[in-house]
Amino acid sequence: MADRKSFLKSGHKGSLFSAFLYFDMSFMIWVMLGPLAVLIAKDFEMDAAQKANLVALPALGGSILRLVLGYLTDRIGPKKTGIVGMSLTIIPLLVGWKLTDSLADMYFVALMLGIAGASFAAALPLASRWYPPEHQGLALGIAGAGNSGTIFSTLFANRLAQYYGDWHVVFGLALIPLIVVFLIFLFTAKDSPNQPEPKKLSDYGGVLKQKDTWLFCLFYMVTFGGFSGMANYLTLFFNTEYNLNPVAAADFATICIIAGSLFRPIGGWLSDKVGGIRMLMLLYAVIGLMLAAVSTLPALAVTTALLFIGMMGMGMGNGAVFQLVPQRFREEVGIITGIVGAAGGLGGYFLPKILGSLKLSTGSFTPGFLVLSGIALSCIIMIYLAQREWKRNWIGEGGKVGAGLYLDGGLNAEAPKA
């Protein structure tokens, strides 16, 4: 109870709520092609690899543009960056609604939907900069729970397309929540007074030279990349493997996505309590084992249960990674958020490519899920090896917030008081 009261008093609730809404709406738009791909593929007669490309391109666009929004967040602040991001998101929605009549057009829309995915680089710093180190996991978990927006896409996109008899109209309807959230964000979001000094491009180079940057990129590629990639691909998977119709396939995908979305704050909260290192090692084991079991392609109910648990692990892992990141890179949180977020987007790009390409070449989803399982399990070894150096320099036991020093850009600085 005391921890909850401390959390509520320590930050800015309006900004935390705005960050959540911005992230939630952006995720809904970012993954729209996941469920709609089943219907779009019928119009353009796409093979397994082309379907995978279509649902992977938003992740690639988000990965690239997160670096841009991360830099803007550092220069002009997260609120102005969020306003720019939402304004530009209108473009692919209008094009998808009124101007798409070929697969090439759809590839353009898919790539541009990455603007919505790039919201990560502004939404999380907006929340993070208001809260002290001991509440970072929970604050970022709440803001990051906006990935629940994927649920709205998988639950309603194909139903709306079926109701109106045209998948194009779904892009137009998405403009409504975008405008509503834009107005709420405009009047309730507020940049923290504790904004770091704007960084130079050379500062990005300094962060990229540190091996911890690349480790966190890999870890987030597996957790966030796994979640976003699965969110985009599962409708196609259920449709192809179990012959479900577009609406039913999206409904089964929704069941799995709910786990990853709703458990992210719990992952952040538990990481605050027991440490992000302990949480990540456990969660990667869960993810790896669940994906290995899915590779056997059991009955639909069993597969759904396994994916539910696996995506729950991915969602909680997202919160755990970002319990550690602000501790390691406190003064470069805008830079590192963009870089690590971009890596997560790349994970979301490669996952459908792996599953779709191996399905096309082997005729089965088994090899793809086995590859993904092996990647997740290998992260356990990497964390085990890295944590020995981390404990000496910047982190408490198991990944809890240390009471001593923060390592930031190669320099030690006194940890801020709560």
Side-chain angles (χ1 to χ4, degrees):
M1 180 67 71
D3 284 348
R4 186 178 70 178
K5 289 181 179 179
S6 174
F7 173 78
L8 292 174
K9 292 180 180 178
S10 64
H12 187 259
K13 292 186 286 293
S15 295
L16 183 61
F17 179 62
S18 296
F20 166 79
L21 281 183
Y22 172 34
F23 206 25
D24 195 65
M25 177 276 305
S26 296
F27 252 77
M28 180 195 73
I29 293 172
W30 191 32
V31 303
M32 282 175 57
L33 286 179
L36 290 176
V38 177
L39 300 172
I40 296 170
K42 292 181 180 179
D43 285 356
F44 299 123
E45 299 181 354
M46 300 160 64
D47 62 29
Q50 290 173 320
K51 293 175 187 176
N53 284 337
L54 183 64
V55 299
L57 281 173
L60 179 62
S63 177
I64 295 169
L65 291 168
R66 282 180 186 190
L67 294 174
V68 178
L69 264 66
Y71 178 74
L72 285 177
T73 294
D74 193 50
R75 301 294 297 184
I76 66 175
K79 179 173 182 176
K80 290 180 180 178
T81 302
I83 291 171
V84 171
M86 281 186 273
S87 299
L88 292 176
T89 300
I90 294 172
I91 297 172
L93 294 179
L94 288 175
V95 174
W97 180 24
K98 293 294 186 181
L99 302 174
T100 52
D101 55 14
S102 70
L103 183 56
D105 292 337
M106 284 310 308
Y107 281 159
F108 170 79
V109 170
L111 190 63
M112 291 297 291
L113 285 176
I115 298 170
S119 62
F120 185 102
L124 294 195
L126 178 66
S128 172
R129 292 175 181 177
W130 278 104
Y131 291 87
E134 64 270 22
H135 294 312
Q136 285 290 311
L138 181 56
L140 290 172
I142 292 172
N147 57 26
S148 60
T150 55
I151 296 170
F152 296 109
S153 282
T154 53
L155 199 57
F156 296 113
N158 287 349
R159 283 184 167 83
L160 290 170
Q162 189 177 68
Y163 179 81
Y164 287 100
D166 180 16
W167 52 263
H168 293 85
V169 74
V170 180
F171 289 93
L173 292 172
L175 289 166
I176 298 173
L178 174 61
I179 294 170
V180 172
V181 171
F182 178 87
L183 293 174
I184 294 173
F185 188 90
L186 190 64
F187 291 107
T188 62
K190 182 180 179 182
D191 286 337
S192 167
N194 300 316
Q195 298 294 319
E197 290 294 322
K199 306 297 181 183
K200 302 176 183 177
L201 287 176
S202 59
D203 294 322
Y204 283 78
V207 171
L208 289 170
K209 289 178 182 178
Q210 301 181 52
K211 66 179 181 180
D212 285 347
T213 299
W214 298 100
L215 282 174
F216 283 122
C217 284
L218 173 62
F219 299 152
Y220 206 60
M221 285 181 74
V222 176
T223 59
F224 179 80
F227 171 80
S228 60
M230 286 292 185
N232 271 314
Y233 196 76
L234 280 182
T235 301
L236 286 170
F237 168 68
F238 284 122
N239 173 258
T240 303
E241 184 64 29
Y242 296 100
N243 298 312
L244 300 179
N245 65 55
V247 172
D251 286 344
F252 274 91
T254 301
I255 294 172
C256 303
I257 291 167
I258 285 173
S261 299
L262 299 186
F263 279 84
R264 175 168 181 153
I266 296 175
W269 178 76
L270 286 174
S271 296
D272 284 337
K273 297 299 181 183
V274 305
I277 290 174
R278 293 191 182 105
M279 283 299 300
L280 280 178
M281 294 181 74
L282 172 63
L283 293 170
Y284 284 130
V286 170
I287 295 167
L289 292 175
M290 292 304 104
L291 293 179
V294 171
S295 73
T296 65
L297 301 176
L300 175 61
V302 177
T303 296
T304 305
L306 293 170
L307 286 170
F308 182 93
I309 297 171
M311 291 191 71
M312 179 177 67
M314 294 172 189
M316 293 178 71
N318 293 336
V321 170
F322 271 91
Q323 185 264 352
L324 295 173
V325 166
Q327 296 183 62
R328 173 60 179 84
F329 297 96
R330 182 161 179 79
E331 296 302 320
E332 297 107 334
V333 66
I335 297 175
I336 197 66
T337 296
I339 293 173
V340 174
L346 282 178
Y349 171 73
F350 285 119
L351 185 146
K353 297 281 286 183
I354 290 171
L355 291 176
S357 297
L358 289 177
K359 168 64 174 174
L360 185 64
S361 61
T362 68
S364 172
F365 284 111
T366 295
F369 279 108
L370 285 176
V371 168
L372 298 175
S373 172
I375 294 171
L377 294 174
S378 69
C379 288
I380 300 174
I381 300 173
M382 294 182 186
I383 293 174
Y384 177 78
L385 296 174
Q387 67 173 331
R388 291 176 292 182
E389 181 180 343
W390 292 352
K391 289 177 182 178
R392 289 195 300 268
N393 293 315
W394 58 273
I395 202 165
E397 184 65 28
K400 291 185 178 181
V401 174
L405 300 178
Y406 282 83
L407 186 72
D408 187 17
L411 299 174
N412 288 324
E414 185 180 352
K417 303 296 188 293

